[in-house]
Amino acid sequence: MRALGVIRSFLIKEFRQILRSREMLVVLFALPAIQLLLMGFAVTNEVKNLSLCFFDYDRSSLSRALAASFQTGGRFRVLPAPPDAGPEELLANWYCKVVIVIPRGFERDFNTGRQPGLQVISDGIDGNTAALANSYIGGTLADFVQKRMQSRDTAFLKARNQEAGKINLITRMSFNPDLKSSAGIIPGIMAVLVTVTSMLLSAISLVKEKELGTLEQLLVTPAKKQQILAGKLIPYLLLTLAQMQVALLLARLFFWIQIAGSYTELMLFSLVYLFTTLGLGILISTRVASQQEAMFFSWFVMVVSILLSGFFVPIRNMPAGIRLIAFFNPLSHYMTVLREIVVKGSSLMQLSRELIILSVSGLVIFGISIASFRKRV
Amino acid sequence: MPDLKRIKAMAQKELFHILRDPRTLVILFLMPLLQLIIFGYAMNMEIRDVPLVIADYSGNSASKELIRVFSNTRYFVVVPQAEGSLEPETLFRNRSAQASLVIPPGFMESRFDLLLQIDAGDQNTAQMVQSYATAIVASLGAKLSAGIDLRPVVIFNPDLKSSFFFVPGLIAMILVMICALLTSISISREKELGTMEQILVSPVSATEILLGKVLPYIALGLMDALLILGVGMLLFQVPFRGDFTVFLGFTFLYVLTALCIGLMVSTIAKTQQAAMMMALAITLLPTILLSGFMFPIASMPPLLQKITYIVPARYYLQIIRGIMLKGNSIAQLYQSGLTLAGMSLLLLVVAARRFKLRLG
C-alpha cells in the first residue's frame, strides 16, 4: 500500500513538471498534430500530375485518341511539345519527366496488325517515380488497346483469331476502394508518433534529472528504484495514449479515416508496444550524459527504424538481408498492426503473430533496460 | 577589419567544442552514411512476389495458360488456396494473399471476364498490381498480333537505382542539418551557459566571433557532404556528369542560406532545446518533406506545392541533381540558380540586421 502511495506522489510531481511548461504541451500535442497533418498531405509515393509530352509524328485519329487517353485520371499532365527541342533535351531541361514518341504510320500499322512500336523515354533520376510511371503507361496502353479491340467488329477479330483480345479484366479494390494513399500513410504516422513520444520524452526526462543532479536527490529518498522508474514512465505512457486519441480524432476529421477494426484491440497492442519503446528510452538515458546527446541518439534510432519499418516501402520489396533486419525492428510489427486494424479491420486472431513478437520484444527490452538502470544509476 | 588571427582562435575554440563530443560527431557522419546504404539497397518501389490466389473454375487450356503466364512473372507468386473457399478479404486479412483472381467456368469459350480483387490497404502496391495484371492480360491478347509494341527507354538512370536519387538529397539534408541546426544550437548554448558574455567582453569583434563560429561548421558540413558523394560514387556508381566548380559554387550559396537560417533561429531561441526544436521545424522537416527529397512535389495538394517554393532545398536539389545526373550547365539551371542566389542574399541581409551579439 505504501509503495503505491510513493508512486502516486511521483506521478503528481511528474505531471506537475510536465504541465508547468507550456513548451512541453506544445511538444506533446501541437507538434504531433502539425506533423500528422503535414506528413499526411506531403508524404505520398503516389505518382500524380506527372508531366508528359507527346511527339506525334503520325497525326492520325488513333494517335490523338492515344494521347487523349492519358489525359484523364489526373495521373499525367500532358504538356505541349515545344517545336525546337528533341525528346532528350526536354528531359535534360526539366521541362517534363516522360516523352512518348508516336512514329509515322502508327495508325496504319495498328489497323493492319503489324504491331507499331511506341517509344517511351523517361527521366530515371527518381527511380521509383520512373518505375511507377512506366507501369502506369503500360497499364493505360493495355487498356487502350483492349478497348480498341473490343470495339472492333467480330469479323475483324475472327479473321485474326483474336479471341484473347476480348478478355475483360474487372478489378475490385478491397478495404480502400478510392485508393487514398492516406489510408496507409496516416496509421504509419501514428505508429511513428507513438514511438517518438514515448521513447524520446522518457529518455530526455530521465537525462534531464541526471544532468541537473536531481536524480541523485530522488535516489536518496526512501523510494525504491523501481518506484522512481514507475513514476517516470507511467506519465509518458498515459500521455502517449492521450496523444494517440488526438491523432485518431484528427485522422477522422481531416482524412476521413475511421478505425475499421476494434478500438480495444488497437489500444491493447499499443500498450504492449509501449513497453518496448519506454524500455528503449530508459536504455538510452542510462548511456548518454546530456539532453543533446539523448536527442541525437534517439533520433538516430528513429530514422533507421522508420526507414526499415515498411512505412515508405513495403518490406517485401527489400533484399533478404535487410528483410531480416526489419524483422528485428519492433516498429515494423507495430506498423503492420496499426494498418491492419485501422484499414482492414483485422482481428486479434489474425494478428496473433504480431502480438507474440511485440510481447516478447517488450519483455526482453524492458527487462534489459530495468537491469541496466539498476546497475548504472 | 576582422583580424584573421582572432578568427582562427575562435574557430579553434569551436573545433574543440565539436571534438569534445565525439558521439554526436559519430552520429553526424554515421547517420547519413547508413541512410545512404538503406536508401541505396532497400528503398525499392518495384513490387515483386505479390502472393496471388487463383480460383480456377474453368480448368481448360486457356485458364492453365493464363495461370502459367502469371506465375512466370517476377511480380506474382501464385499461392495455393489451401483453406478451401475462403473469402478474398479474409485471405487479405490473414495476409496469406494480396490479390485474388477468379477465372470463370468456360473461360475463353463462353466467358471472357476475369475478376481481380486486390488488397488496397497499401494503395501503391495495389495500383501497381493492377497495372501489371492489366498488362499481362493484354499481352495475352496481343500475343497473336496487333497490339502495340511498347519500348520504354529510361535515361539518366537506366537501372532505376534509388541511390542516384538519394545521394544528392542526402547532401542537401546533411548540409542543412550541420549548417543550420548545429550552428544555432552552438550559439544558443553559449547564451544559455553565459559564456557568450565572456567572449563579448574580450577584444574580439562581433564579425570575428560570427566567422569563427560558423567556419568550423561549414568545413564539417562540406566534409560530410563530400564523404556522402564519395561513398555514393564508389559504392553505388553514382555518376558526376557535370562541372564540379559549378557544383561547388551552388553548394556555397546553399550553405550560406542554411547558415543564415541557423543564425536567425539563434536570435529567437533562448535555450538549446528551443533552438533544436525550431531548427528542426523550419529547416530539417521542410528539407525532407517539401523539397522533392523523397516525395514528388507534383503529387502534393496544390497548397503544399505553393509552400515548396520557399524551401531552399527545392532549388538546390534540382541544381545538384541536374549537375550530377543530367550534366546540366549553368544555362539550364539559371532559373533555380538565380532563385537560390536571391534567397541567400535576402536571408543574409535579414540575418545581419537581426543578429546582434547582445545579451537579454
Side-chain angles (χ1 to χ4, degrees):
Chain A
M1 236 19 250
R2 229 187 65 79
L4 277 182
V6 173
I7 293 179
R8 210 179 125 243
S9 33
F10 263 111
L11 289 185
I12 294 172
K13 164 204 161 279
E14 198 66 27
F15 268 115
R16 276 205 190 133
Q17 218 167 10
I18 294 168
L19 298 177
R20 202 179 45 195
S21 66
R22 217 179 323 139
E23 274 171 46
M24 204 58 193
L25 286 179
V26 170
V27 170
L28 269 173
F29 291 103
L31 272 184
I34 294 170
Q35 254 176 39
L36 185 82
L37 294 179
L38 183 67
M39 289 176 82
F41 286 116
V43 174
T44 166
N45 28 28
E46 245 176 296
V47 174
K48 279 195 285 198
N49 307 316
L50 192 76
S51 45
L52 170 70
C53 259
F54 277 98
F55 277 64
D56 186 357
Y57 293 114
D58 194 39
R59 294 177 189 283
S60 58
S61 66
L62 188 74
S63 70
R64 275 190 292 273
L66 180 71
S69 72
F70 280 87
Q71 250 147 357
T72 50
R75 189 147 331 278
F76 297 99
R77 192 158 53 93
V78 181
L79 298 174
D84 50 351
E88 303 211 352
E89 233 177 309
L90 292 188
L91 297 184
N93 291 340
W94 301 89
Y95 181 76
C96 62
K97 292 264 194 291
V98 182
V99 171
I100 297 184
V101 183
I102 304 177
R104 200 161 284 146
F106 177 72
E107 185 176 37
R108 189 196 57 225
D109 286 354
F110 184 79
N111 285 340
T112 52
R114 258 187 299 183
Q115 212 176 4
L118 194 68
Q119 194 163 45
V120 178
I121 307 161
S122 46
D123 180 343
I125 285 186
D126 180 354
N128 287 334
T129 298
L132 275 168
N134 267 338
S135 98
Y136 293 145
I137 292 171
T140 311
L141 256 167
D143 230 34
F144 177 76
V145 171
Q146 202 172 26
K147 286 211 182 89
R148 287 272 145 176
M149 294 284 190
Q150 277 161 354
S151 63
R152 213 79 82 168
D153 50 87
T154 26
F156 176 88
L157 286 176
K158 276 245 170 66
R160 286 183 166 64
N161 190 15
Q162 271 209 347
E163 296 278 84
K166 293 202 302 193
I167 301 172
N168 182 22
L169 185 71
I170 306 159
T171 315
R172 256 189 233 150
M173 295 293 180
S174 302
F175 312 119
N176 180 14
D178 307 328
L179 290 176
K180 288 188 290 186
S181 78
S182 52
I185 295 288
I186 297 288
I189 299 173
M190 279 189 221
V192 171
L193 285 181
V194 165
T195 315
V196 174
T197 309
S198 52
M199 186 171 87
L200 186 65
L201 293 185
S202 59
I204 285 189
S205 128
L206 275 167
V207 174
K208 197 172 178 179
E209 303 252 13
K210 219 158 105 177
E211 209 176 14
L212 298 177
T214 45
L215 191 60
E216 228 152 302
Q217 294 175 10
L218 291 180
L219 287 172
V220 295
T221 61
K224 294 202 180 83
K225 273 184 182 174
Q226 55 263 45
Q227 289 170 333
I228 298 177
L229 261 189
K232 274 274 164 208
L233 296 183
I234 293 171
Y236 289 103
L237 190 121
L238 294 177
L239 283 171
T240 310
L241 291 178
Q243 193 188 63
M244 209 173 162
Q245 311 309 315
V246 177
L248 283 171
L249 186 72
L250 288 176
R252 195 167 171 166
L253 290 177
F254 288 92
F255 300 97
W256 311 104
I257 289 171
Q258 297 200 35
I259 308 172
S262 146
Y263 173 80
T264 332
E265 281 168 23
L266 187 63
M267 288 304 132
L268 174 78
F269 271 108
S270 305
L271 204 62
V272 171
Y273 176 63
L274 280 172
F275 277 90
T276 303
T277 55
L278 290 174
L280 283 174
I282 304 173
L283 215 56
I284 291 173
S285 75
T286 55
R287 277 176 173 64
V288 300
S290 69
Q291 290 180 62
Q292 187 189 324
E293 222 177 300
M295 183 91 89
F296 271 112
F297 198 75
S298 328
W299 199 22
F300 180 70
V301 174
M302 280 311 304
V303 168
V304 175
S305 58
I306 290 174
L307 288 178
L308 295 180
S309 68
F311 182 36
F312 301 117
V313 167
I315 291 171
R316 195 166 359 83
N317 294 3
M318 299 177 182
I322 292 185
R323 275 207 303 263
L324 188 70
I325 302 174
F327 178 80
F328 287 99
N329 175 12
L331 179 58
S332 77
H333 301 288
Y334 183 58
M335 187 147 315
T336 309
V337 167
L338 262 174
R339 283 184 171 159
E340 291 288 317
I341 294 182
V342 172
V343 184
K344 290 157 78 173
S346 304
S347 66
L348 197 61
M349 274 306 291
Q350 287 162 324
L351 291 166
S352 50
R353 183 172 157 263
E354 276 71 22
L355 187 62
I356 295 170
I357 295 174
L358 288 177
S359 310
V360 170
S361 108
L363 275 176
V364 170
I365 293 180
F366 200 70
I368 293 177
S369 72
I370 290 203
S372 151
F373 184 78
R374 277 163 175 257
K375 211 167 76 187
R376 292 211 173 206
V377 176
Chain B
M1 198 48 214
D3 181 13
L4 270 180
K5 237 167 76 188
R6 287 187 198 143
I7 296 177
K8 206 179 137 213
M10 271 303 289
Q12 220 158 26
K13 166 202 154 291
E14 201 57 35
L15 199 65
F16 283 139
H17 270 300
I18 298 172
L19 293 178
R20 216 178 39 189
D21 183 6
R23 275 191 270 198
T24 303
L25 204 62
V26 166
I27 287 180
L28 280 178
F29 277 88
L30 206 62
M31 184 150 77
L33 276 186
L34 205 65
Q35 268 174 293
L36 176 60
I37 288 166
I38 295 176
F39 277 129
Y41 286 121
M43 294 285 131
N44 190 358
M45 218 48 206
E46 194 147 8
I47 59 164
R48 58 178 176 212
D49 299 343
V50 169
L52 170 75
V53 159
I54 299 184
D56 184 3
Y57 292 109
S58 172
N60 59 15
S61 60
S63 74
K64 289 203 178 95
E65 167 71 7
L66 186 72
I67 296 173
R68 198 187 58 78
V69 174
F70 265 98
S71 40
N72 274 351
T73 63
R74 63 196 169 94
Y75 308 122
F76 296 102
V77 176
V78 178
V79 291
Q81 201 175 15
E83 288 116 309
S85 57
L86 272 180
E87 281 288 299
E89 304 216 336
T90 313
L91 290 175
F92 297 163
R93 287 200 185 98
N94 289 339
R95 280 163 292 149
S96 50
Q98 221 174 347
S100 123
L101 184 72
V102 178
I103 307 175
F107 177 63
M108 296 294 280
E109 287 150 13
S110 53
R111 303 274 298 272
F112 291 93
D113 44 337
L114 288 169
L115 180 65
L116 177 70
Q117 198 160 344
I118 308 171
D119 175 354
D122 175 2
Q123 152 273 339
N124 228 329
T125 305
Q127 275 181 321
M128 293 192 79
V129 166
Q130 186 184 17
S131 6
Y132 287 136
T134 312
I136 290 172
V137 171
S139 75
L140 214 65
K143 212 161 84 178
L144 297 163
S145 69
I148 293 173
D149 175 22
L150 188 64
R151 294 175 207 147
V153 180
V154 178
I155 57 176
F156 305 126
N157 179 11
D159 300 329
L160 299 177
K161 287 202 225 161
S162 48
S163 47
F164 281 35
F165 188 54
F166 285 116
V167 165
L170 285 170
I171 291 176
M173 193 192 82
I174 199 70
L175 285 176
V176 143
M177 210 163 88
I178 292 179
C179 295
L181 188 69
L182 283 191
T183 320
S184 65
I185 292 177
S186 119
I187 293 177
S188 51
R189 183 175 49 207
E190 302 248 21
K191 280 190 190 168
E192 201 181 17
L193 298 178
T195 47
M196 189 58 108
E197 207 162 348
Q198 295 173 8
I199 300 174
L200 281 177
V201 294
S202 70
V204 188
S205 76
T207 328
E208 288 161 0
I209 296 177
L210 202 60
L211 282 176
K213 257 206 166 312
V214 300
L215 281 176
Y217 289 103
I218 296 181
L220 193 67
L222 287 179
M223 260 162 60
D224 218 348
L226 289 178
L227 180 73
I228 299 168
L229 187 65
V231 172
M233 287 168 79
L234 287 176
L235 200 60
F236 294 103
Q237 282 84 45
V238 178
F240 198 102
R241 302 193 172 111
D243 191 53
F244 193 69
T245 19
V246 179
F247 166 80
L248 279 184
F250 281 117
T251 302
F252 174 72
L253 278 184
Y254 181 65
V255 165
L256 201 63
T257 316
L259 280 175
C260 292
I261 297 177
L263 289 182
M264 292 218 291
V265 167
S266 72
T267 60
I268 303 167
K270 288 197 183 69
T271 61
Q272 284 181 66
Q273 196 122 24
M276 209 173 308
M277 281 322 213
M278 272 174 61
L280 272 180
I282 66 172
T283 58
L284 203 61
L285 271 183
T287 304
I288 292 174
L289 291 175
L290 300 175
S291 68
F293 166 65
M294 198 169 169
F295 313 106
I297 293 173
S299 301
M300 294 174 191
L303 180 68
L304 276 190
Q305 287 194 32
K306 292 209 176 71
I307 296 177
T308 63
Y309 286 108
I310 57 166
V311 178
R314 181 200 157 118
Y315 304 101
Y316 181 65
L317 268 181
Q318 195 190 10
I319 291 167
I320 68 167
R321 281 184 182 144
I323 294 173
M324 284 178 63
L325 306 172
K326 295 187 174 182
N328 280 174
S329 60
I330 295 191
Q332 285 161 308
L333 296 168
Y334 77 97
Q335 255 178 334
S336 311
L338 278 181
T339 318
L340 193 63
M343 239 177 205
S344 54
L345 204 67
L346 184 79
L347 280 170
L348 193 65
V349 171
V350 176
R353 294 190 115 194
R354 273 207 62 108
F355 188 80
K356 289 185 196 102
L357 281 172
R358 249 186 262 137
L359 299 157

